[in-house]
């Protein structure tokens, strides 16, 4: 049997993985986020150049304030796009460095886009004190707002999505309301539930009219908890693909945990090898007993006049 432990919300299966569609969507969003951040940093560079050229020494405050507002707008837009990308393709919480930088990158880029310019504003000796106070104060407030918008307080993770996927699959199999089935995990949870239903249908017999949730697969090599490459799971240990193999057995979800993530395509052959008859025929219901109440007599013919 597998050594995997059940999660608090359901059976443990394979780790959640972003689909190709989710990865493509995440890539597009990250490209747009990078472009927005590039504009924000470009605005900062322009502001630094204009400061160095003393363009704000005697006026032009609306231009400097406009640059600061533009930097904030594009920095926030980039952060929102990046957060949306992380919803599609999150990092692993176990990889602490990548998890932190991937989820807090919006705040980091925002600080980079604001801090040097604000520092130069407050330290510009040629800028009059009133303009320095106004521009520096506006810049500091905008930087704080944009940075807070870039922070991810409850970032998604592969581990969280795996837990949600397991809970979703459990709810689907039990016919319960699918409260855990967010769009990010629903498709893969449905695959798990579908495989479980297919196994139950294929293993029905007289002793198990509802089928079974027991499958067999090639054990991971060298005592590992999970195979490096995906495997197929089978209906019993006596099927020909498992001959002379080290075999594990357990539920469909336990098979998924060890990277046995596809049901065999030779179900009919394996049913014969395993002695399963498939879905049992429905027992015909008994004929209803004839009613004890006699049928009513036909009406009497009318009397002759």
């Amino acid at each position: 049997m597998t050594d995997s432990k059940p999660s608090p919300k359901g059976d443990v299966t394979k780790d959640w993985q972003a689909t190709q569609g989710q990865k493509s969507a995440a890539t597009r969003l990250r490209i747009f986020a990078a472009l927005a951040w590039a504009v924000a940093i470009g605005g900062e560079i322009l502001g630094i150049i204009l400061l160095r050229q003393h363009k704000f020494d005697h006026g032009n405050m609306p231009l400097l304030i406009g640059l600061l507002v533009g930097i904030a707008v594009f920095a926030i837009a980039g952060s929102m796009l990046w957060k949306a990308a992380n919803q599609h393709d999150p990092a692993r919480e176990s990889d602490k460095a990548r998890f932190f930088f991937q989820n807090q990158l919006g705040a980091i880029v925002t600080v980079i886009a604001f801090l040097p310019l604000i520092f130069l504003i407050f330290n510009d000796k040629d800028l009059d004190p009133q303009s320095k106070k106004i521009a520096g104060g506006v810049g500091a407030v905008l930087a704080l707002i944009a940075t807070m918008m870039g922070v991810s307080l409850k970032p998604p993770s592969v581990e969280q999505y795996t837990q949600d996927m397991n809970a979703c699959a459990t709810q689907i199999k039990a016919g319960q309301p699918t409260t855990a089935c967010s769009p990010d995990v629903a498709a893969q949870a449905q695959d798990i539930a579908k495989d479980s239903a297919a196994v139950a249908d294929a293993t029905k017999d007289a002793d198990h009219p509802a089928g079974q949730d027991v499958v067999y697969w090639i054990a991971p090599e060298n005592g590992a908890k999970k195979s490096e490459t995906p495997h197929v799971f089978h209906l019993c240990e006596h099927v020909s693909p498992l001959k002379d193999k080290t075999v594990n057995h357990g539920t469909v979800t336990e098979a998924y945990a060890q990277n046995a993530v596809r049901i065999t395509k030779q179900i009919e052959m394996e049913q014969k090898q395993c002695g399963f008859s498939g879905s049992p025929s429905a027992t015909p219901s008994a004929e209803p007993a004839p009613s004890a109440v006699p049928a009513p007599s036909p009406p009497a013919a009318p009397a002759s006049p």
Side-chain angles (χ1 to χ4, degrees):
M1 292 288 290
T2 179
D3 293 331
S4 61
K5 298 178 181 179
S7 75
K9 294 186 178 181
D11 293 327
V12 174
T13 64
K14 65 174 182 176
D15 288 343
W16 177 91
Q17 295 180 1
T19 64
Q20 191 60 44
Q22 288 169 319
K23 288 182 178 180
S24 297
T27 299
R28 287 194 301 271
L29 288 167
R30 285 174 179 143
I31 290 172
F32 292 140
L35 291 173
W37 285 334
V39 173
I41 292 175
E44 176 192 36
I45 293 171
L46 177 59
I48 292 172
I49 292 172
L50 293 176
L51 271 174
R52 291 298 189 186
Q53 293 176 349
H54 304 285
K55 296 295 185 182
F56 307 114
D57 292 353
H58 305 287
N60 290 327
M61 273 298 104
L63 175 58
L64 181 55
I65 299 298
L67 280 172
L68 292 168
V69 171
I71 292 169
V73 168
F74 282 98
I76 292 172
S79 295
M80 296 300 101
L81 291 166
W82 191 264
K83 286 182 180 181
N86 289 340
Q87 292 289 335
H88 291 294
D89 187 18
R92 289 183 178 274
E93 193 170 358
S94 56
D95 188 349
K96 296 187 182 301
R98 180 180 177 184
F99 185 73
F100 173 80
F101 283 106
Q102 179 168 321
N103 288 294
Q104 309 307 332
L105 188 60
I108 294 169
V109 172
T110 299
V111 170
I112 294 172
F114 269 105
L115 193 58
L117 180 56
I118 294 174
F119 177 81
L120 289 176
I121 290 173
F122 280 119
N123 288 276
D124 192 328
K125 296 179 180 179
D126 297 318
L127 201 61
D128 70 88
Q130 184 67 19
S131 298
K132 185 183 299 187
K133 184 183 296 185
I134 294 173
V138 170
V141 170
L142 289 172
L144 179 62
I145 294 172
T147 300
M148 293 305 298
M149 293 291 289
V151 172
S152 292
L153 297 177
K154 294 183 179 179
S157 67
V158 171
E159 290 84 349
Q160 181 61 51
Y161 278 13
T162 299
Q163 190 178 61
D164 292 346
M165 180 179 69
N166 297 333
C168 177
T170 300
Q171 290 173 346
I172 292 173
K173 290 189 288 184
Q176 300 171 347
T178 51
T179 56
C181 297
S182 68
D184 299 299
V185 305
Q188 294 177 59
Q190 288 169 355
D191 289 341
I192 296 169
K194 182 174 66 175
D195 282 347
S196 298
V199 169
D201 189 60
T203 56
K204 289 178 180 178
D205 57 21
D207 295 328
H208 306 93
Q212 303 178 63
D213 187 16
V214 181
V215 291
Y216 300 78
W217 63 93
I218 298 173
E221 296 181 354
N222 302 320
K225 291 186 177 181
K226 182 176 181 179
S227 297
E228 293 185 2
T229 57
H231 286 298
V232 172
F233 52 81
H234 306 270
L235 302 184
C236 71
E237 60 185 328
H238 307 300
V239 295
S240 50
L242 295 179
K243 185 179 180 181
D244 299 327
K245 301 288 195 305
T246 302
V247 177
N248 282 352
H249 70 282
T251 65
V252 170
T253 49
E254 288 173 327
Y256 268 79
Q258 295 191 11
N259 208 16
V261 294
R262 296 194 303 272
I263 188 172
T264 176
K265 294 183 179 180
Q266 298 176 318
I267 291 180
E268 292 185 6
M269 181 196 78
E270 292 199 1
Q271 282 180 307
K272 295 176 182 178
Q273 293 180 349
C274 299
F276 294 120
S277 57
S279 302
S281 301
T283 305
S285 57
E287 291 289 334
S291 174
V293 180
S297 302
S304 303

